[in-house]
Amino acid sequence: VALEDRGFEPILDRHNIDAAENWRERLGALILSCDAVAFVLTDNSAASPICAWEVEEAKRLGKRIIPVAPGEVKSPPPQALADLNWIHFFATDDIPGSGMFDGLRKLEHALKVDLAWLRQQTVLQEQAARWSGRERTADSPHLLRGALLQEAQEWARRTPPGSAVPDEVR
């Protein structure tokens, strides 16, 4: 609710996958369709092979991954999360600026950084997925041409530090 109040449209993997649905396929589609992944890091998620797959899928797709910790995490997380600075949503003297209020402020900031670039990345990834799902021919209606191709090339030139153009878009 706090993210919705700030203008975001969060997708929760526990709420957006129906019973009897191929969860891996659906979760992959959800990750593809998002601009960033806020990964809630707990002892259970840190040790979960499914959560490790989610992190790797988000990383493979070039999504910004923002680890948030609602409490202390004692289990070692996947390396892709261990390498990132976490947002601590619990107050601890060991971490200045930790706590729910500061955590939400930091998450909002992280989600807004380079948001226009991230949204364009999502559009291009979805276009690339449509193209790769069809015949990969030069006359495919899903292949970028003309002004749309120039726009995509300009977007790639503006890649922010710490980001990369995903392989499927390239």
Side-chain angles (χ1 to χ4, degrees):
V1 175
L3 289 175
E4 289 172 343
D5 290 346
R6 287 164 173 75
F8 296 102
E9 296 176 28
I11 298 171
L12 302 176
D13 59 359
R14 293 183 182 260
H15 299 234
N16 291 89
I17 301 175
D18 292 325
E21 187 172 16
N22 180 321
W23 67 266
R24 190 179 299 255
E25 186 177 294
R26 177 66 177 141
L27 189 52
L30 290 173
I31 294 169
L32 174 65
S33 72
C34 70
D35 297 321
V37 175
F39 190 92
V40 179
L41 193 54
T42 64
D43 280 328
N44 287 341
S45 67
S48 166
I50 293 169
C51 292
W53 176 84
E54 288 180 82
V55 171
E56 287 306 312
E57 185 67 4
K59 186 177 171 184
R60 182 185 73 78
L61 292 171
K63 300 299 181 172
R64 172 172 288 154
I65 302 171
I66 306 165
V68 297
E72 188 176 347
V73 179
K74 295 180 182 176
S75 299
Q79 192 61 48
L81 293 178
D83 292 342
L84 299 174
N85 192 24
W86 304 354
I87 298 173
H88 296 86
F89 272 73
F90 63 100
T92 177
D93 292 336
D94 297 338
I95 304 166
S98 60
M100 185 65 154
F101 177 77
D102 284 331
L104 188 56
R105 186 178 50 77
K106 289 174 184 173
L107 178 57
E108 180 180 15
H109 176 74
L111 289 169
K112 286 184 176 179
V113 171
D114 300 320
L115 191 55
W117 191 89
L118 287 171
R119 285 186 175 151
Q120 185 63 24
Q121 173 181 300
T122 299
V123 167
L124 292 170
Q125 283 181 301
E126 290 174 334
Q127 183 71 14
R130 283 190 291 276
W131 178 67
S132 68
R134 312 273 193 293
E135 288 183 37
R136 291 180 138 190
T137 62
D139 61 342
S140 169
H142 300 287
L143 191 60
L144 297 180
R145 293 180 182 78
L148 290 175
L149 178 58
Q150 289 176 346
E151 182 181 310
Q153 289 170 330
E154 177 57 32
W155 166 84
R157 282 190 281 281
R158 294 190 321 269
T159 302
S163 298
V165 175
D167 289 340
E168 70 270 18
V169 172
R170 191 178 323 283

